[in-house]
Amino acid sequence: MDSQAIATLPEHGHAEHEHSPHLHHHFATEDQQREASNFGMWLFLLTEIMFFGGMFTAYLIYRNWYYPAFVAGSHWMKIWAGTLNTTVLICSSFTMAMAVYSAETRKRKALLRYLSLTLFLGFVFLGIKAYEWHNEWVEHHVPGLNFSINDFTHVDPRYPLDKPLAPDMAEKTQSYFSLYFLLTGVHALHMLVGVSILLFLIFNAWKGAYTTGHMTFIENFGLYWHFVDIIWIFLFPLLYLISRHQ
Amino acid sequence: MSEPTHHAHTVVHPKVYAAVFGALLLFTALTVFASSLELGVFNAVVALAIAVIKATLVVLFFMHIRYSSKLLKLTICSGVFMFLVLITMTLTDYISRAWGLW
């Protein structure tokens, strides 16, 4: 399959009309067409890695600079909500993988079921995230709009061993929360885009698309959805977990 | 003429997906548990190691890279490598500008 996929037209490449109606004329085989499409999607995902990577690097550098502030800030994360959301996203990745499988095996009903489940789990994730953001608003932890250093200049009752921060370091918790809102916000934006495309996919699948042998759209959307899951797999420990004890 | 073309492409069995799904849930539980232990700097190391393992599982199985061509495998590896090079160079710059303060 490897050599075939990168080969140019074989000798009998234009053997008249024996190919599937989904095969574009500039590809020799369906495998080649499929791989070209996946390859393009992966190139896009690599640019996305660089896009998120810049923000992860900013997090890394500021965390080292204002370490006590980052520790104090992350102590306000709700670990149960982060764990639940990680689980929800992993479930949605599984249902998405099953949706691709259903398209491959041409089962329309199963495809619709798994796509709908993925959509539902996407909404659950966004709902839990919105709940957390709302709490942060109520707690005055939103830099620039609604922020108070009060929680950080006093001893946190849930972490009685923490020392209160000096006012200048307490101000730096805004760096933590800015990066938190940036990272989770851009991630949620990707989820919103994903959910919108899912609605479109479900509509098309309902009309009978993707189960006739041509499923690159479903496949590439699956890649996108899994990628967004991977971003969260890194966000969860970095924002919620690693400073639990410091 | 209208004979449906069958893909030489590997179709991954749902059992594989289910196994990966189980492993991902297990690693999630493990990373939350590990964060409750006092490990010093190793809290971050363990959390990131688990995240890398989870991401690799997703890429290999859910994203089918284990069954993909060498071209795709090589492209992804070089992309990730490039990403690590960029992070390293950025950090080299920051560390050497505030020498001794890190």
Side-chain angles (χ1 to χ4, degrees):
Chain A
M1 182 190 141
D2 289 356
S3 54
Q4 197 185 19
I6 54 170
T8 45
L9 286 176
E11 262 99 78
H12 56 286
H14 262 257
E16 273 25 272
H17 307 121
E18 275 180 35
H19 53 68
S20 115
H22 307 302
L23 181 64
H24 291 285
H25 73 269
H26 51 286
F27 291 110
T29 64
E30 277 209 62
D31 269 343
Q32 191 195 38
Q33 171 172 299
R34 184 178 196 143
E35 170 145 33
S37 155
N38 286 348
F39 189 75
M41 190 63 199
W42 267 104
L43 288 185
F44 166 67
L45 293 182
L46 287 174
T47 70
E48 288 270 85
I49 291 182
M50 301 302 168
F51 171 64
F52 277 98
M55 291 183 281
F56 276 112
T57 311
Y59 176 84
L60 193 62
I61 288 167
Y62 278 102
R63 186 182 147 82
N64 274 290
W65 277 357
Y66 306 129
Y67 185 71
F70 272 59
V71 170
S74 77
H75 281 174
W76 286 84
M77 294 294 118
K78 290 182 172 52
I79 290 178
W80 67 264
T83 309
L84 188 60
N85 252 352
T86 310
T87 311
V88 167
L89 265 198
I90 287 173
C91 291
S92 83
S93 257
F94 174 66
T95 56
M96 191 60 224
M98 289 306 294
V100 173
Y101 175 77
S102 309
E104 262 167 343
T105 49
R106 308 190 182 194
K107 294 188 179 112
R108 180 174 164 272
K109 270 195 175 163
L111 173 64
L112 277 170
R113 190 171 62 233
Y114 283 120
L115 284 179
S116 310
L117 265 172
T118 310
L119 178 73
F120 170 73
L121 291 167
F123 277 126
V124 171
F125 176 91
L126 286 170
I128 295 172
K129 203 65 232 159
Y131 160 80
E132 287 185 81
W133 284 336
H134 176 258
N135 260 322
E136 277 132 18
W137 176 268
V138 172
E139 287 165 345
H140 308 288
H141 289 167
V142 185
L145 297 172
N146 184 6
F147 196 83
S148 155
I149 59 168
N150 227 352
D151 284 332
F152 309 105
T153 49
H154 296 91
V155 177
D156 181 346
R158 295 162 312 147
Y159 290 90
L161 296 177
D162 277 11
K163 291 190 192 85
L165 298 176
D168 59 337
M169 187 50 88
E171 286 290 349
K172 302 299 186 202
T173 53
Q174 295 197 59
S175 298
Y176 172 79
F177 281 102
S178 300
L179 282 162
Y180 163 79
F181 281 109
L182 178 68
L183 281 160
T184 57
V186 173
H187 178 266
L189 190 66
H190 277 76
M191 291 290 295
L192 267 182
V193 170
V195 159
S196 317
I197 299 175
L198 261 175
L199 283 170
F200 174 75
L201 290 181
I202 290 171
F203 178 66
N204 280 347
W206 181 67
K207 289 196 302 184
Y210 315 124
T211 39
T212 57
H214 185 57
M215 45 163 298
T216 34
F217 200 155
I218 288 273
E219 228 183 351
N220 284 343
F221 175 76
L223 292 180
Y224 173 83
W225 193 261
H226 297 312
F227 170 81
V228 176
D229 183 23
I230 288 177
I231 294 297
W232 184 261
I233 284 175
F234 283 96
L235 283 182
F236 173 53
L238 285 180
L239 294 171
Y240 290 72
L241 295 180
I242 58 175
S243 309
R244 224 169 143 178
H245 278 292
Q246 273 73 31
Chain B
M1 168 178 169
S2 60
E3 183 203 338
T5 344
H6 197 77
H7 299 288
H9 166 91
T10 322
V11 176
V12 187
H13 197 275
K15 270 185 191 163
V16 176
Y17 288 144
V20 171
F21 176 52
L24 288 173
L25 290 180
L26 209 67
F27 276 118
T28 304
L30 190 66
T31 194
V32 175
F33 169 72
S35 77
S36 71
L37 305 173
E38 172 91 65
L39 303 171
V41 283
F42 288 102
N43 272 122
V45 175
V46 168
L48 282 176
I50 293 176
V52 169
I53 293 171
K54 283 165 79 182
T56 310
L57 282 176
V58 173
V59 169
L60 284 181
F61 296 99
F62 283 177
M63 297 168 99
H64 297 167
I65 287 308
R66 188 176 183 282
Y67 315 95
S68 296
S69 65
K70 282 180 184 143
L71 172 69
L72 205 45
K73 284 177 182 155
L74 190 65
T75 307
I76 294 161
C77 287
S78 52
V80 172
F81 178 71
M82 188 63 205
F83 168 63
L84 293 176
V85 167
L86 289 175
I87 284 204
T88 309
M89 291 178 78
T90 310
L91 291 182
T92 314
D93 188 26
Y94 272 98
I95 291 171
S96 59
R97 270 163 202 257
W99 200 254
L101 293 178
W102 281 51

